[in-house]
């Protein structure tokens, strides 16, 4: 790849995402949203999850941001209090806008282990109370291209001439790179955006030939610059995510699945949820089919 850049970004911090329990019996590796890195504007959470039935993420609410679920293995069935229900399988993406409020469940579909990633993208104050919505893309419809030993799947944004159809309210780039042994990936990134990489498989050198080496489950925060260079100097394929977004630059008030700008708005959100008003009206009498099947209602 011959993409040129004046100032490649260097690694400024590196974390190993360790397993922890979340939901009901699920295991996640959380790299953003942990105590060392509460927020990386505009990103609130990045989880690599692993779950097998009957474990999962039964009925729970959200307000004020978007969730991006990208399946690596297996499948997850999603259902919400608006009647939306569907299953995303390996390679599929669901981009959910929680907006003013949603209550939903995310449970493994079928036998075996389901693995994937979930990214929480913050919304600006003028978008926090918009109506909920979904963008779902099957694996076969995700834009992809290969050149000089590098393959990229474009979840959001554009790369190597391929462009995603996903509309991002908070400007976001989400790329899934696979780099063949002894090849290198180079990707322009808007200089004003925050960017990070997350390694899924193999080992790479990030920040140019003399940069930081990192293996699976490592998150690398990237400093200032106009692009990213990643080298695979090993004899095995390297797979990593490159994610970047435009900082919102607003105060963040968060209580679990509720993300607003002030503590007063959080108090109002708790009240709205408890009394099933202002976007949570249907939560009062709704239970997911998964919850009923588990006998947890």
């Amino acid at each position: 790849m011959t993409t040129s850049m004046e100032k490649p970004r260097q690694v400024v911090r590196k974390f190993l995402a360790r397993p922890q329990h979340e939901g009901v019996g699920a295991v996640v590796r959380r790299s953003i949203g942990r105590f060392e890195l509460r927020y990386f504007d505009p990103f609130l959470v990045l989880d690599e999850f692993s779950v097998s039935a009957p474990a999962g993420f039964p009925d729970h609410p959200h307000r004020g941001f978007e969730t991006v679920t990208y399946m690596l293995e297996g499948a997850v069935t999603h259902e919400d209090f608006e009647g939306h229900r569907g299953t995303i399988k390996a390679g599929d993406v669901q981009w959910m806008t929680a907006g003013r409020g949603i209550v939903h469940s995310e449970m493994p579909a079928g036998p075996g282990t389901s693995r994937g990633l979930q990214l929480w993208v913050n919304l600006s104050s003028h978008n926090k109370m918009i109506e909920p919505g979904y963008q779902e893309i099957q694996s076969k419809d995700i834009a992809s291209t290969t050149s000089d030993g590098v393959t990229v799947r474009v979840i959001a944004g554009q790369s190597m001439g391929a462009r995603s159809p996903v509309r991002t309210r908070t400007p976001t780039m989400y790329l899934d790179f696979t780099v063949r042994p002894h090849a290198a990936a180079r990707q322009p990134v808007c200089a004003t955006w925050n960017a990070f990489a997350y390694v899924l498989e193999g080992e790479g050198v990030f920040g140019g030939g003399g940069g930081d080496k990192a293996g699976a489950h490592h998150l690398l925060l990237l400093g200032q610059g106009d692009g990213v260079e990643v080298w695979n100097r090993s004899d095995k394929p390297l797979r990593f995510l490159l994610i970047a977004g435009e900082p919102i630059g607003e105060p963040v008030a968060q209580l679990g699945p509720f993300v607003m700008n002030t503590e007063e708005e959080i108090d109002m959100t708790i009240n709205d949820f408890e009394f099933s008003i202002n976007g949570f009206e249907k939560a009062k009498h709704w239970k997911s089919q998964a919850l009923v099947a588990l006998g947890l209602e």
Side-chain angles (χ1 to χ4, degrees):
M1 298 175 63
T2 57
T3 300
S4 62
M5 55 196 73
E6 293 183 3
K7 184 183 178 183
R9 294 178 182 235
Q10 302 300 311
V11 176
V12 295
R13 294 179 76 184
K14 181 167 66 173
F15 303 97
L16 174 62
R18 302 183 185 279
Q20 65 184 58
H21 290 282
E22 192 77 12
V24 177
V27 176
V28 305
R29 293 177 179 267
R30 179 161 296 168
S31 49
I32 299 176
R34 55 197 267 173
F35 68 91
E36 305 102 319
L37 186 62
R38 290 295 185 190
Y39 182 51
F40 188 52
D41 193 5
F43 305 112
L44 297 152
V45 167
L46 178 66
D47 282 344
E48 180 183 355
F49 62 84
S50 178
V51 59
S52 301
F57 306 94
D59 306 11
H60 58 280
H62 292 298
R63 173 182 276 182
F65 59 99
E66 297 184 302
T67 66
V68 185
T69 306
Y70 183 32
M71 294 302 300
L72 301 176
E73 176 185 348
V76 164
T77 294
H78 166 278
E79 53 181 315
D80 70 22
F81 68 1
E82 292 286 352
H84 182 276
R85 179 183 171 90
T87 298
I88 53 173
K89 302 176 182 179
D92 296 349
V93 174
Q94 181 197 74
W95 201 292
M96 183 189 82
T97 302
R100 67 197 302 257
I102 201 79
V103 178
H104 73 160
S105 71
E106 300 156 292
M107 303 295 287
T113 299
S114 294
R115 291 178 54 244
L117 297 116
Q118 188 167 96
L119 177 71
W120 292 14
V121 184
N122 200 8
L123 290 170
S124 63
S125 55
H126 72 272
N127 278 327
K128 284 190 176 295
M129 296 296 285
I130 62 177
E131 290 297 319
Y134 297 90
Q135 299 174 82
E136 293 180 333
I137 308 173
Q138 292 185 347
S139 180
K140 64 181 179 63
D141 297 323
I142 291 177
S144 178
T145 188
T146 299
S147 177
D148 297 332
V150 178
T151 298
V152 62
R153 306 185 84 226
V154 185
I155 311 302
Q158 57 183 321
S159 178
M160 293 167 53
R163 181 187 295 270
S164 168
V166 168
R167 175 181 175 233
T168 61
R169 287 167 179 81
T170 300
T172 304
M173 180 179 74
Y174 191 137
L175 307 175
D176 177 0
F177 280 99
T178 299
V179 183
R180 202 172 57 197
H182 312 295
R186 297 177 178 87
Q187 173 64 37
V189 178
C190 182
T192 59
W193 288 16
N194 285 331
F196 67 88
Y198 186 79
V199 183
L200 295 174
E201 301 172 14
E203 185 178 79
V205 177
F206 293 77
D212 283 64
K213 185 182 295 185
H217 314 302
H218 277 87
L219 177 94
L220 301 103
L221 299 188
L222 303 169
Q224 296 301 306
D226 61 356
V228 178
E229 293 183 344
V230 183
W231 297 80
N232 182 0
R233 300 196 181 282
S234 74
D235 294 322
K236 297 181 179 180
L238 164 67
R239 186 181 181 188
F240 69 94
L241 304 179
L242 178 60
I243 299 175
E246 182 176 49
I248 295 172
E250 296 178 349
V252 174
Q254 180 175 0
L255 182 65
F258 304 136
V259 182
M260 303 301 289
N261 295 108
T262 67
E263 294 300 329
E264 291 78 12
E265 290 172 339
I266 290 291
D267 291 342
M268 185 190 335
T269 297
I270 294 170
N271 185 77
D272 291 346
F273 180 60
E274 288 182 348
F275 291 95
S276 300
I277 58 175
N278 295 328
F280 290 109
E281 288 82 358
K282 295 181 181 179
K284 187 173 184 178
H285 302 292
W286 181 79
K287 296 288 187 298
S288 69
Q289 295 178 29
L291 197 69
V292 172
L294 288 171
L296 299 177
E297 75 278 13

